[in-house]
């Protein structure tokens, strides 16, 4: 399994928290207007250069809505010019025009990701809380397909759409998207734990996704449900599929193996704060004063998160702890301890001899988490 001690697989930059949607689950608590303390264009260029020092991680421009920044296209161009594999996740608002999508392609964007949280306008727009968002999403997916810009669809599974995943998957199929990225709720920002599924329902969704993956024309990955990798490994072993490894399933799961918050993953906020994840709002530094590479490689927070031996509870005892490791963001949001076991996992580890776990280094966490 690949080590992510020196460089992340995925870097996400939140260009802004400004957005014209008002989604029920919004991690960023998006607002209408841009924050004057956002990284400037020049600072953005420097950030992209520092990201390139890692090699060629996947670079994701997100928000809020990246299109709320007038310099988004020069920033995209610079990212591609530096040789970063560049993707963008715009919001489905009137800013997402055919001209904007053309510009994404002209800049060299490798993929555009759009959110689809319901199979019709009533369910999707009700979740996004802006009328017309569903129609705009369908338009953008169709237009991107026409011009040959690869797409992915992001869906956050909550109580409101749990029973309609089949219908959403059919729209993903029809759109020609390359990937369905299924997010599982973390109760941060506007999201409430009451919208989340039970641990048993997580397993049911895993079963659905795994069975669908055998026939779908698109890849499937999960976000903040690292234990889907455990589920897939278990199923492949049980099926005794030729060449199957219980710890390194092939395809998209293998490429994501071991990645977790702060482990192969780093998030830079609109004001430059360096987080292990956008869902784990504990800052380890700021790109305005700190080296991004040094923070990722050397900060106690990131080093602790990358060592599965520090995990508490059954996550620490689990034989899948290096493949999975549980959601550190969810553990923090529900327990206040980012090393705690994932409360949304039903798996009980096999009994093993007691391990000598290294003591977790003391971390000076901020009393007020910067936004």
């Amino acid at each position: 399994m690949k080590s992510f001690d020196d460089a992340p697989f995925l870097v996400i930059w939140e260009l802004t928290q400004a957005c014209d949607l008002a989604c029920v689950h919004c991690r960023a608590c998006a607002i209408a207007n841009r924050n004057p303390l956002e990284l400037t264009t020049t600072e953005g260029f420097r950030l992209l250069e520092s990201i390139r020092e890692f090699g060629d991680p996947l670079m994701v421009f997100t928000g809020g809505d990246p299109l709320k920044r007038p310099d988004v296209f020069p920033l995209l161009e610079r990212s591609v010019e530096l040789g970063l594999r560049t993707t963008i996740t715009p919001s489905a608002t009137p800013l997402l025009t055919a001209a904007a999508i053309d510009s994404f392609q002209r800049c060299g964007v490798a993929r555009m990701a759009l959110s689809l949280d319901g199979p019709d306008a009533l369910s999707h727009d009700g979740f996004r809380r802006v009328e017309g968002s569903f129609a705009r999403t369908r338009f953008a997916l169709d237009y991107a397909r026409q011009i040959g810009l690869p797409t992915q669809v992001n869906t956050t599974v909550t109580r409101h759409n749990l029973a309609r995943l089949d219908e959403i998957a059919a729209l993903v199929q029809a759109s020609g998207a390359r990937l369905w990225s299924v997010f599982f709720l973390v109760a941060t920002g506007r999201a409430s734990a009451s919208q989340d599924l039970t641990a048993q329902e997580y397993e049911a969704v895993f079963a659905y996704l795994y069975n669908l993956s055998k026939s779908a024309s698109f890849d499937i990955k999960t976000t903040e449900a690292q234990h889907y990798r455990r589920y897939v490994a278990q199923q492949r072993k049980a099926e005794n599929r030729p060449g199957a490894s219980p710890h390194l399933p092939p395809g998209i799961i293998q490429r994501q193996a071991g990645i977790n918050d702060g482990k192969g993953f780093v998030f830079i906020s609109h004001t430059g704060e360096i987080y292990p994840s956008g869902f784990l709002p504990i800052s380890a530094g700021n790109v305005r004063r700190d080296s991004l590479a040094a923070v990722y490689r050397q900060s106690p927070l990131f080093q602790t998160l990358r060592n599965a031996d520090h995990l508490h509870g059954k996550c620490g005892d689990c034989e899948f702890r290096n493949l999975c490791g549980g959601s550190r963001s969810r553990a923090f949001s529900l327990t206040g301890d980012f090393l705690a076991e994932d409360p949304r996992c039903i798996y009980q580890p096999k009994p093993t001899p007691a391990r000598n776990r290294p003591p977790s280094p003391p971390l000076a966490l901020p009393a007020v988490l910067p936004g």
Side-chain angles (χ1 to χ4, degrees), residues 250-282:
I252 190 73
I253 299 296
Q254 181 169 331
R255 294 196 296 275
Q256 298 290 322
I259 294 175
N260 208 317
D261 303 332
K263 183 181 180 182
F265 192 106
V266 63
F267 180 96
I268 297 95
S269 82
H270 62 299
T271 57
E273 298 293 330
I274 304 169
Y275 295 126
S277 163
F279 300 102
L280 181 51
I282 303 175

Side-chain angles (χ1 to χ4, degrees), residues 239-250:
E239 294 167 3
N240 195 26
R241 295 175 64 174
S245 164
H247 291 290
L248 283 176

Side-chain angles (χ1 to χ4, degrees), residues 98-278:
I101 299 170
D102 285 334
S103 294
F104 293 154
Q105 187 178 53
R106 186 170 58 253
C107 289
V109 166
R111 183 176 292 180
M112 177 180 68
L114 293 169
S115 292
L116 189 63
D117 296 299
D120 52 34
L122 182 64
S123 58
H124 176 88
D125 291 357
F127 193 67
R128 297 281 161 180
R129 297 199 294 188
V130 171
E131 187 176 349
S133 175
F134 179 78
R136 180 66 55 177
T137 299
R138 296 294 304 277
F139 155 76
L141 288 169
D142 290 344
Y143 186 75
R145 187 176 191 179
Q146 291 174 29
I147 66 173
L149 177 63
T151 58
Q152 78 177 53
V153 172
N154 299 338
T155 299
T156 300
V157 181
T158 63
R159 298 243 147 261
H160 100 284
N161 62 7
L162 175 61
R164 308 193 71 181
L165 293 180
D166 243 350
E167 297 170 82
I168 297 172
L171 291 181
V172 177
Q173 178 93 15
S175 75
R178 304 280 182 87
L179 174 70
W180 190 21
S181 185
V182 183
F183 286 65
F184 287 74
L185 197 71
V186 174
T188 188
R190 291 197 193 110
S192 165
S194 64
Q195 303 166 24
D196 200 3
L197 312 183
T198 66
Q200 289 77 15
E201 287 169 329
Y202 271 59
E203 294 291 307
V205 175
F206 293 168
Y208 169 74
L209 295 177
Y210 179 69
N211 289 328
L212 178 63
S213 72
K214 296 177 181 179
S215 59
S217 62
F218 47 84
D219 287 329
I220 298 172
K221 71 175 285 289
T222 59
T223 295
E224 295 303 341
Q226 289 83 347
H227 42 321
Y228 178 57
R229 303 171 204 152
R230 178 265 302 162
Y231 181 89
V232 172
Q234 287 178 296
Q235 296 307 306
R236 292 185 61 82
K237 184 178 181 180
E239 294 167 3
N240 195 26
R241 295 175 64 174
S245 164
H247 291 290
L248 283 176
I252 190 73
I253 299 296
Q254 181 169 331
R255 294 196 296 275
Q256 298 290 322
I259 294 175
N260 208 317
D261 303 332
K263 183 181 180 182
F265 192 106
V266 63
F267 180 96
I268 297 95
S269 82
H270 62 299
T271 57
E273 298 293 330
I274 304 169
Y275 295 126
S277 163

Side-chain angles (χ1 to χ4, degrees), residues 50 53 274 286-287 289-296:
S50 70
E53 293 174 9
I274 304 169
N286 189 293
V287 298
R289 64 176 183 270
D290 303 307
S291 160
L292 176 61
V295 169
Y296 178 82

Side-chain angles (χ1 to χ4, degrees), residues 349-360:
K350 296 177 181 177
T352 58
R355 293 186 300 112
N356 291 321
R357 299 183 191 176
S360 300

